[in-house]
Amino acid sequence: MAKKSVASLQTGSKRLTKAIKMVKSPKTGAYTFTESIMSPELVSDWLSKK
């Protein structure tokens, strides 16, 4: 599974990060991309869970 954090975003006083994770479907074998915008502290936890 490939994973990569791609962007740092700043909105006002909040610093946010957009993370994109490539997930393989167990049913079809195709890859899909899941993305989320969160604080930088939560990125590694989000990328590590399946």
Side-chain angles (χ1 to χ4, degrees):
M1 172 174 35
K3 47 191 166 181
K4 183 176 183 181
S5 177
V6 292
S8 292
L9 310 169
Q10 286 187 331
T11 57
S13 63
K14 296 181 182 177
R15 183 183 165 105
L16 301 173
T17 301
K18 181 178 181 180
I20 298 176
K21 179 168 47 172
M22 192 165 76
V23 180
K24 186 173 183 178
S25 171
K27 187 174 182 181
T28 63
Y31 286 94
T32 59
F33 293 94
T34 306
E35 58 184 64
S36 180
I37 296 176
M38 64 196 79
S39 68
E41 297 84 26
L42 301 175
V43 172
S44 61
D45 293 334
W46 184 75
L47 289 173
S48 65
K49 67 179 177 180
K50 291 185 177 185

